[in-house]
Amino acid sequence: KMHPGDHLRCRIKPGSMEPPSHDQQVVCVGIGSGLAPHMGFLRERVHAVTVLGKEVATFSLYFGNRFERREFLYSDELKKYAVEHSSWFKLHTAFSRDTIGKKVYVQDLVAITDDAFVNLFSNPGMLYVC
């Protein structure tokens, strides 16, 4: 976990989303409809594992929207991957309007899980936000 005063080194490359290599740990954050590029990265990893027999580094996906039932894009596919590839893929979802009086956002999940810390700080990885 990060603490006030901790420093984070990062690089921003405007207009590009270069795909990660298989050995790079990845954290993807999809807010609302910004899930498509992350699905491409994830599907490529699933293909590398299931068809090519490669080993891949961890991949964490944080996805948030207002309502799960109406707005959870790729729900079945993502849940399937989370079960079948649990050794390297973790899915974190936040739906801000499903529970009256309790709004949950992606940033809340990042704060309470270790994925971002482990995948970005312990062993430098890639962060994609869309």
Side-chain angles (χ1 to χ4, degrees):
K1 302 268 182 211
M2 291 194 72
H3 302 285
D6 288 350
H7 294 276
L8 169 65
R9 302 185 99 188
C10 63
R11 174 179 58 134
I12 298 174
K13 294 174 66 174
S16 71
M17 284 191 87
E18 297 173 12
S21 63
H22 295 144
D23 62 342
Q24 286 180 302
Q25 298 180 119
V26 176
V27 174
C28 288
V29 181
I31 303 163
S33 61
L35 190 56
H38 308 315
M39 290 302 297
F41 296 158
L42 178 58
R43 287 173 177 158
E44 196 283 324
R45 287 217 177 176
V46 169
H47 176 80
V49 168
T50 58
V51 176
L52 305 177
K54 293 189 174 193
E55 290 189 26
V56 297
T58 57
F59 189 112
S60 294
L61 173 62
Y62 292 87
F63 173 72
N65 221 321
R66 295 172 301 165
F67 302 100
E68 181 174 10
R69 201 177 89 234
R70 295 189 319 221
E71 300 173 337
F72 188 4
L73 306 172
Y74 309 104
S75 171
D76 293 340
E77 182 179 0
L78 286 168
K79 289 176 180 178
K80 177 182 169 192
Y81 291 158
V83 170
E84 292 177 0
H85 303 286
S86 61
S87 63
W88 58 268
F89 174 61
K90 296 206 180 346
L91 173 64
H92 305 281
T93 57
F95 300 99
S96 62
R97 303 294 188 278
D98 277 345
T99 304
I100 296 172
K102 183 181 180 193
K103 293 183 179 180
V104 179
Y105 297 100
V106 168
Q107 60 265 33
D108 298 323
L109 298 179
V110 172
I112 62 171
T113 62
D114 289 336
D115 291 17
F117 178 79
V118 170
N119 294 332
L120 298 175
F121 305 115
S122 297
N123 298 306
M126 300 294 290
L127 170 66
Y128 296 92
V129 180
C130 189

